[in-house]
Amino acid sequence: MKKIVRNIILMSGVVSLMSLTSCEDFLTLYPTDKITEQEFWQDRNDLESGLAACYYQMEKSDITNRIYDWGEFRATDNAALSDASNTSISNLQAGILRPTESMFDWAPFYTEINYCNKVIEHGQELYDSKKDVSLTSSVWNAYKSEAVAMRALTYFYLVRAYRNVPFVTKSISTDEEAMSAESQLPQTDGVIILSSMINDVEGVKNTPQRNLGNSVYNKGRITEKAIYALLADMRLWRACMLKHATDKASAGYIKDSLFNGINVVTKADSIVKADLQAAVDYSQKVIDLMNEEYNKENKNPITGEVDRVSDYPLYQQNSTGGGSGDMPYYYIFGTKNSLESIFELQYDATNQSNSAITNYIKSVAFSSISTMKVASGLYGSIGSLNPSTGFGKTDIRAAETVRMIKGESNTYVLTKGIANNVSPQDYTDMSEGADYSMRSQLDPNFIIYRLSDVMMIQAEALVRQASDKATMRKAFKLVVELFKRNNPGASKTSTDPNYIAWMTDNYVDNLSDGNVPDQATMLNYVYAERQREFVAEGKRWFDLVRMAEADNSTSGALELMGATKAVSAQLAEMMSFYNPVYSEELKANENLEQNPIWVNN
């Protein structure tokens, strides 16, 4: 843990909120005030400053770069290498993970965890001391819920990337503390960490604020919706990790099965059942809250129509003709902090720039192609109306994701996030190209959760929960609603029966028993829609890991990704889907064990 602490800036370096000039500063201003930690934590302002530092650390490229590395670039069906000299990414995509690569240094995440631990510990001390009468029970509990959720989210990333990591719940301030026996921790099984984080967040789910007063705070800080979204996601993940728990324990994938005196392996069946239902229920809570916000407008925010065109509060396309027309993309990615947003990291290009998205993927105005581009396979079926994978002919996300200009060679440069707005020339055929309005600065937000994510979490939980036709209908409708929103130029007179199945409202609402997809087919629909929706949002590889956990095998996920024989051979074992421990961490902490797959590296 010594390596971790060398990367920790003590919480005493956080900014004083008393000097801030705008609401955005809470989430973007660099911590500059230097005071000792003993002088800090005196009043509510100090607590707010500590909480601000938690958000600031999460926004840093040290973390977002690694979310791309761990959650996006390992999936070769989403991202392709455009810079052949980058051997680190080349090896990553070839399934050759070297422990000496700095991309596997988890220290920035433990810096974030340390910040959260400090807020939780010192905030409780400050509240108990009654030093600041303005720090009431409701105020403190709301702040605590944010710190607890941020810590859980950080551990959630680590568990998805490494599975088993050191579990630190006490703050560290000095090298002496870091080198103590109490801090030189071995890894804890990911299932146990996830269970602890679920318990923690469940404990604060009733105390976060619903409305913080403006869109930057409501989308840039942890609110009630973000708590529910995180719980839905973590519960779905634990359900998948504990499926086949007995076999996994026998194979050594689950090393520690005790949590709060409960053997999670022997209780796995009941936990999985409860988790899947919780994922459905928490997702629905988010959808209900977002419907409540939507209904306050009493109209579709784009079309101006009072009548709803969907049972979900989704933006809808305003135009299906050539040329410009407001698209959902403009509101979700262009203007940022949209009605569909739940939680996104905030950037203004002044106090904090989103350099990760441009360093790795693209440059503003396409002046150059950066390290990565979109995998060409996503566009292999661009002429199809209803492809099993990738973008179809009328899917506006094809133009939103990659720069497509009629008559120009398509080099699969990513557009998502850099463009303010995208206007296809022909909504019935994305290959006709589009017009783009570009950003002038590095200020795209990094979206952690948005409505479509919660819809797909609910759909997957439903599919994994039961295979009866009623459940499959519910899941099918969630997928179709998202697909329909993104295919406004679709024709219901198509002669392709599968296309009619996807696009006809009557088919969705009155799906006959003979046309209800089976469980395996429905799960493929969910994963295909997630892939189309979340390209370049740091989710694809994690989706494949979750699939492998649920299957207790990597073969299905590798087949879905279209992995080569060489990559499949490299990633045949379950633990190969997880990262190696960084070599410098192994040197600093003798209690750590290398992921057995990468020991010989």
Side-chain angles (χ1 to χ4, degrees):
M1 302 297 283
K2 181 171 64 178
K3 174 64 168 58
I4 293 173
V5 172
R6 285 203 297 267
N7 286 273
I8 288 177
I9 303 172
L10 296 183
M11 188 60 75
S12 57
V14 296
V15 65
S16 171
L17 290 185
M18 297 177 68
S19 63
L20 301 186
T21 58
S22 70
C23 60
E24 288 87 349
D25 288 336
F26 181 92
L27 298 167
T28 59
L29 192 60
Y30 185 81
T32 56
D33 288 356
K34 300 296 182 181
I35 56 179
T36 66
E37 190 164 8
Q38 289 75 20
E39 294 171 326
F40 204 62
W41 308 110
Q42 297 299 310
D43 55 28
R44 178 177 171 179
N45 286 331
D46 293 337
L47 179 57
E48 289 178 339
S49 297
L51 190 58
C54 295
Y55 288 105
Y56 177 80
Q57 172 64 17
M58 181 64 78
E59 293 161 1
K60 293 177 70 172
S61 61
D62 282 351
I63 284 183
T64 53
N65 280 351
R66 285 169 173 78
I67 292 175
Y68 279 130
D69 287 334
W70 305 344
E72 190 76 25
F73 299 155
R74 286 194 72 182
T76 55
D77 58 343
N78 259 24
L81 186 65
S82 60
D83 179 3
S85 66
N86 192 316
T87 56
S88 296
I89 300 295
S90 178
N91 286 333
L92 182 73
Q93 295 209 312
I96 304 169
L97 278 64
R98 302 188 184 281
T100 54
E101 292 285 358
S102 61
M103 69 170 70
F104 301 124
D105 184 358
W106 58 35
F109 288 78
Y110 279 99
T111 300
E112 170 69 18
I113 289 166
N114 200 54
Y115 281 9
C116 295
N117 284 340
K118 284 182 177 290
V119 170
I120 295 166
E121 292 171 10
H122 292 298
Q124 188 65 55
E125 292 170 359
L126 182 60
Y127 171 71
D128 291 340
S129 72
K130 308 299 181 185
K131 288 182 179 179
D132 188 337
V133 294
S134 71
L135 188 62
T136 62
S137 175
S138 61
V139 171
W140 160 233
N141 285 329
Y143 290 159
K144 180 181 177 181
S145 70
E146 292 184 66
V148 166
M150 288 290 283
R151 181 176 66 181
L153 175 64
T154 308
Y155 269 121
F156 191 25
Y157 275 117
L158 289 172
V159 168
R160 285 178 286 182
Y162 293 88
R163 198 181 197 282
N164 308 325
V165 297
F167 189 32
V168 184
T169 57
K170 181 181 178 181
S171 67
I172 299 171
S173 298
T174 66
D175 284 338
E176 288 74 18
E177 290 178 4
M179 296 177 68
S180 67
E182 292 79 7
S183 297
Q184 295 285 296
L185 299 174
Q187 289 107 315
T188 296
D189 191 282
V191 171
I192 304 305
I193 294 175
L194 199 54
S195 297
S196 182
M197 293 300 96
I198 288 170
N199 270 18
D200 286 353
V201 180
E202 293 271 8
V204 299
K205 67 182 179 183
N206 297 321
T207 59
Q209 297 190 63
R210 179 176 293 189
N211 189 334
L212 288 160
N214 60 74
S215 63
V216 174
Y217 277 7
N218 286 338
K219 310 303 182 179
R221 292 174 61 181
I222 298 292
T223 61
E224 185 178 23
K225 291 194 296 292
I227 289 279
Y228 290 143
L230 178 59
L231 281 170
D233 204 0
M234 291 194 298
R235 297 291 289 264
L236 174 62
W237 261 84
R238 186 172 65 175
C240 291
M241 293 179 78
L242 283 177
K243 193 175 181 183
H244 309 291
T246 301
D247 293 338
K248 290 177 181 178
S250 298
Y253 295 143
I254 298 179
K255 294 186 177 181
D256 181 0
S257 61
L258 288 178
F259 174 70
N260 285 351
I262 298 173
N263 189 312
V264 295
V265 171
T266 59
K267 298 290 185 180
D269 289 345
S270 60
I271 295 173
V272 168
K273 183 178 180 180
D275 277 348
L276 291 175
Q277 186 58 52
V280 171
D281 293 342
Y282 283 129
S283 297
Q284 191 59 48
K285 285 180 180 293
V286 177
I287 293 169
D288 290 345
L289 287 169
M290 300 191 84
N291 263 319
E292 184 180 322
E293 290 181 4
Y294 182 106
N295 290 333
K296 287 179 181 178
E297 299 289 329
N298 198 33
K299 63 182 180 181
N300 184 297
I302 294 181
T303 64
E305 298 171 354
V306 174
D307 293 334
R308 290 285 292 274
V309 296
S310 170
D311 291 335
Y312 303 93
L314 294 165
Y315 289 114
Q316 300 296 329
Q317 176 61 39
N318 188 36
S319 171
T320 56
S324 63
D326 285 336
M327 297 176 70
Y329 175 94
Y330 170 71
Y331 292 91
I332 297 170
F333 298 101
T335 62
K336 305 188 293 188
N337 300 316
S338 72
L339 286 176
E340 288 191 24
S341 173
I342 297 170
F343 178 51
E344 52 191 79
L345 304 180
Q346 305 289 308
Y347 299 91
D348 63 1
T350 300
N351 297 305
Q352 187 81 297
S353 293
N354 187 351
S355 58
I357 197 170
T358 52
N359 288 342
Y360 272 116
I361 303 174
K362 54 193 172 294
S363 62
V364 174
F366 304 124
S367 60
S368 65
I369 301 174
S370 297
T371 305
M372 306 303 295
K373 59 185 179 180
V374 176
S376 59
L378 279 170
Y379 290 81
S381 54
I382 195 67
S384 172
L385 293 171
N386 180 32
S388 57
T389 60
F391 296 111
K393 187 175 183 179
T394 62
D395 199 322
I396 58 177
R397 290 170 298 191
E400 294 171 352
T401 304
V402 164
R403 185 191 187 204
M404 300 177 68
I405 297 180
K406 185 71 172 178
E408 292 190 12
S409 175
N410 187 357
T411 55
Y412 302 106
V413 181
L414 202 70
T415 306
K416 196 174 190 179
I418 289 296
N420 279 318
N421 203 6
V422 183
S423 300
Q425 294 297 318
D426 183 350
Y427 284 83
T428 66
D429 187 355
M430 291 300 112
S431 66
E432 290 297 312
D435 295 323
Y436 296 89
S437 170
M438 304 307 300
R439 291 188 186 281
S440 60
Q441 55 186 359
L442 307 183
D443 69 339
N445 283 354
F446 190 101
I447 299 176
I448 304 294
Y449 288 116
R450 53 191 176 96
L451 173 60
S452 53
D453 200 359
V454 170
M455 290 172 65
M456 291 301 97
I457 289 172
Q458 186 177 63
E460 183 174 345
L462 285 167
V463 174
R464 295 193 181 282
Q465 186 179 49
S467 60
D468 62 277
K469 294 184 183 299
T471 302
M472 291 304 106
R473 281 191 180 91
K474 293 177 183 177
F476 189 80
K477 185 172 180 61
L478 283 156
V479 175
V480 169
E481 289 289 349
L482 194 55
F483 186 88
K484 284 167 57 182
R485 185 269 283 276
N486 290 292
N487 288 266
S491 169
K492 296 179 183 178
T493 61
S494 168
T495 58
D496 183 340
N498 292 321
Y499 196 56
I500 295 172
W502 275 98
M503 301 308 300
T504 304
D505 291 341
N506 185 62
Y507 186 98
V508 174
D509 295 336
N510 300 290
L511 205 58
S512 62
D513 285 351
N515 287 326
V516 175
D518 60 27
Q519 193 172 33
T521 301
M522 193 62 245
L523 195 60
N524 286 338
Y525 284 165
V526 171
Y527 274 77
E529 195 61 25
R530 282 191 64 88
Q531 183 182 22
R532 286 186 282 263
E533 184 73 7
F534 301 119
V535 176
E537 295 186 47
K539 297 180 185 290
R540 179 60 173 174
W541 180 255
F542 292 149
D543 285 349
L544 296 174
V545 177
R546 186 175 65 255
M547 180 181 185
E549 284 282 4
D551 292 346
N552 197 27
S553 169
T554 65
S555 60
L558 291 168
E559 181 180 355
L560 184 64
M561 187 177 74
T564 65
K565 288 183 178 180
V567 171
S568 296
Q570 283 288 118
L571 305 180
E573 297 293 327
M574 181 72 71
M575 287 303 294
S576 69
F577 267 40
Y578 292 100
N579 292 344
V581 178
Y582 187 39
S583 58
E584 294 301 309
E585 290 289 355
L586 291 171
K587 294 176 184 177
N589 182 357
E590 63 182 15
N591 291 319
L592 293 177
E593 295 181 2
Q594 182 60 272
N595 180 332
I597 299 300
W598 312 114
V599 166
N600 291 332
N601 286 327

